[in-house]
Amino acid sequence: MTSDQLAPLDLAFWNIESDLHPMHLAALGVFTAHSPTAGAHAADLLAARAAAVPGLRMRIRDVWQPLSFGSATREPDAGFDPLHHVRLHAPAADFHEVAGRLMERPLERDRPPWEAHVLPGEDGESFAVLFKFHHALADGLRALALAAAVMDPIDMPPPRPRPQEPPRALVPDVRRLPGLLRGALSDVGRALDIGASVALSGVAVRSSPALTAESTGTRRTAGVVVDLDDVHLVRKTVGGTVNDVLIAVVAGALRRWLDERGDGSEGVAPRALIPVSKRRPRSAHPQGNRLSGYLMRLPVHDPDPLSRLRTVRSAMDRKKDAGPNRGAGAVALLADHVPALGHRLGGPLVGQAARLWFDILVTSVPLPSLGLKLGGNPVTEVYPFAPLARGQSLAVAISTYRGSVHYGLVADAEAVPDLDRFARAVSEEVEALITACGP
């Protein structure tokens, strides 16, 4: 194993983090237990297998050398002990209640930044594992690969070979200067376009205090399971994509939840950030975050479920036509043009500015269609959890696994004590869309 320098966006995630706003993503997998001791056996397996996964041995070390001052590297931890990362907990009656408390805790920055928490079920018939990965160590695809590496072996397609890039010369080839100049000018133009789009995105926007309350550092999680066949029924009736339907469900659930809690949805159109991965899923070297995104206003104010879906579909079509390199959602691309010291000094400010950029995160996490097992115990549910930015009370992550859609919800526990009501609103919105589509 060798060390490598953190990509600019990884470095940004590493420096944005604070004690109240940990930058880890997570997933809660629920397993059917073949025996009452299945959870304890799963913890032993995870610890034993983690030692053999190179990516789980990598720590992040800050660099203060003159030529790379303020940067950081990902390098092997000579003192790696998997028992520092895999933890077996007491039996739990409610996996989400425990997961919420565990999501509050930042990962230890002087060790490989990941954890696996095994939660046996009180009924003895199930257990859960909460995987946590720092966003600087892994994005969604990389986290999936690392988690899959400690599960029971499955037949996965081999990664596509990555073309080798020629070594960079100290002095640019003069024959390439015109192209380099055009690229630099293009980057400047893109940065100006993104900056102007960010400024315009905040004009005449009405969000809700429920989504933008001051953060307290507390966390609560919840999960919702939706039948994928129901989603396809709506999609085939109205058109668009599965993702369009899933985003529209979030908009409708927000409307129901805000009205039910008395905050009101009239005129509310919160800005949702929809991350877009720019990595090839089967890349042989999936290190480093490669993300852009779409920023869109959710039509929470619209009382008609099908009208909300049509609005989402139209907005997503426009975003896709423009591409992920343009618009306010592409801010993450600017990280490549910030020097390491700029990330180091500006990280806290960027973290505080998230509320000026978007109001809620709605992200999709890809999962393999093959059944996952641990110690022979099958995974039945998978709830992804996204980091919660400062000044934002709710984040939504969505995964599709073996015929079901799983909504993973993370909220500030004090700002959103009624997260279960929002979870119920997600299920009700799916039913409303099916009813609106007719027989």
Side-chain angles (χ1 to χ4, degrees), residues 110-180:
D110 58 348
R111 291 176 175 162
W114 68 273
E115 293 173 352
H117 297 269
V118 181
L119 315 175
E122 280 189 350
D123 57 8
E125 298 178 355
S126 63
F127 68 91
V129 179
L130 178 71
F131 288 101
K132 293 169 56 178
F133 295 96
H134 198 287
H135 219 328
L137 179 70
D139 62 3
L141 286 173
R142 176 66 171 164
L144 172 62
L146 291 173
V150 292
M151 305 290 281
D152 292 354
I154 56 176
D155 293 327
M156 295 289 286
R160 294 174 181 170
R162 185 184 184 184
Q164 294 293 322
E165 296 182 2
R168 295 184 180 182
L170 294 177
V171 178
D173 186 338
V174 294
R175 292 170 297 180
R176 297 180 59 213
L177 287 178
L180 293 173

Side-chain angles (χ1 to χ4, degrees), residues 5 11 14-15 61-73 339-345:
Q5 190 167 350
L11 188 61
W14 189 243
N15 289 297
R61 184 179 66 85
D62 295 325
V63 176
W64 302 107
Q65 297 174 354
L67 295 179
S68 53
F69 193 78
S71 64
T73 60
L341 187 58
H343 284 298
R344 180 75 59 181
L345 299 177

Side-chain angles (χ1 to χ4, degrees), residues 331-356:
V331 164
L333 298 179
L334 300 184
D336 290 341
H337 307 287
V338 177
L341 187 58
H343 284 298
R344 180 75 59 181
L345 299 177
L349 295 176
V350 172
Q352 295 178 25
R355 70 174 72 190
L356 302 177

Side-chain angles (χ1 to χ4, degrees), residues 62-347:
D62 295 325
V63 176
W64 302 107
Q65 297 174 354
L67 295 179
S68 53
F69 193 78
S71 64
T73 60
R74 193 184 289 106
E75 61 183 35
D77 180 8
F80 176 72
D81 183 350
L83 295 180
H84 289 152
H85 303 267
V86 179
R87 298 163 192 177
L88 177 64
H89 293 255
D94 185 338
F95 295 140
H96 281 287
E97 181 180 353
V98 181
R101 295 197 300 269
L102 294 172
M103 287 294 291
E104 296 176 5
R105 306 177 188 174
L107 294 164
E108 296 184 52
R109 292 171 71 91
D110 58 348
R111 291 176 175 162
W114 68 273
E115 293 173 352
H117 297 269
V118 181
L119 315 175
E122 280 189 350
D123 57 8
E125 298 178 355
S126 63
F127 68 91
V129 179
L130 178 71
F131 288 101
K132 293 169 56 178
F133 295 96
H134 198 287
H135 219 328
L137 179 70
D139 62 3
L141 286 173
R142 176 66 171 164
L144 172 62
L146 291 173
V150 292
M151 305 290 281
D152 292 354
I154 56 176
D155 293 327
M156 295 289 286
R160 294 174 181 170
R162 185 184 184 184
Q164 294 293 322
E165 296 182 2
R168 295 184 180 182
L170 294 177
V171 178
D173 186 338
V174 294
R175 292 170 297 180
R176 297 180 59 213
L177 287 178
L180 293 173
L181 180 60
R182 285 195 299 270
L185 292 174
S186 175
D187 287 343
V188 171
R190 182 173 64 182
L192 292 173
D193 170 74
I194 293 172
S197 298
V198 170
L200 291 173
S201 71
V203 176
V205 171
R206 183 178 172 227
S207 185
S208 169
L211 297 177
T212 56
E214 188 60 41
S215 305
T216 66
T218 59
R219 294 291 182 270
R220 184 185 304 271
T221 72
V224 184
V225 181
V226 174
D227 192 322
L228 183 58
D229 286 342
D230 290 340
V231 177
H232 279 300
L233 173 64
V234 176
R235 179 191 63 80
K236 291 175 181 177
T237 303
V238 181
T241 68
V242 165
N243 203 43
D244 294 342
V245 177
L246 300 179
I247 295 171
V249 166
V250 174
L254 285 172
R255 176 182 176 84
R256 293 170 180 275
W257 176 62
L258 292 174
D259 287 342
E260 193 175 316
R261 74 197 320 247
D263 291 348
S265 58
E266 184 178 355
V268 173
R271 296 162 300 175
L273 177 62
I274 318 292
V276 176
S277 175
K278 298 194 69 181
R279 172 181 299 140
R280 294 177 181 176
R282 295 176 63 188
S283 170
H285 299 279
Q287 298 271 39
N289 281 278
R290 294 185 58 81
L291 292 172
S292 183
Y294 301 134
L295 192 71
M296 64 176 294
R297 300 186 185 185
L298 296 179
V300 173
H301 59 283
D302 190 335
D304 182 354
L306 294 184
S307 176
R308 287 194 294 267
L309 175 52
R310 285 191 288 267
T311 298
V312 168
R313 176 188 175 187
S314 176
M316 288 298 291
D317 285 346
R318 290 195 301 272
K319 301 295 183 184
K320 293 172 186 175
D321 287 343
N325 296 330
R326 299 177 61 86
V331 164
L333 298 179
L334 300 184
D336 290 341
H337 307 287
V338 177
L341 187 58
H343 284 298
R344 180 75 59 181
L345 299 177

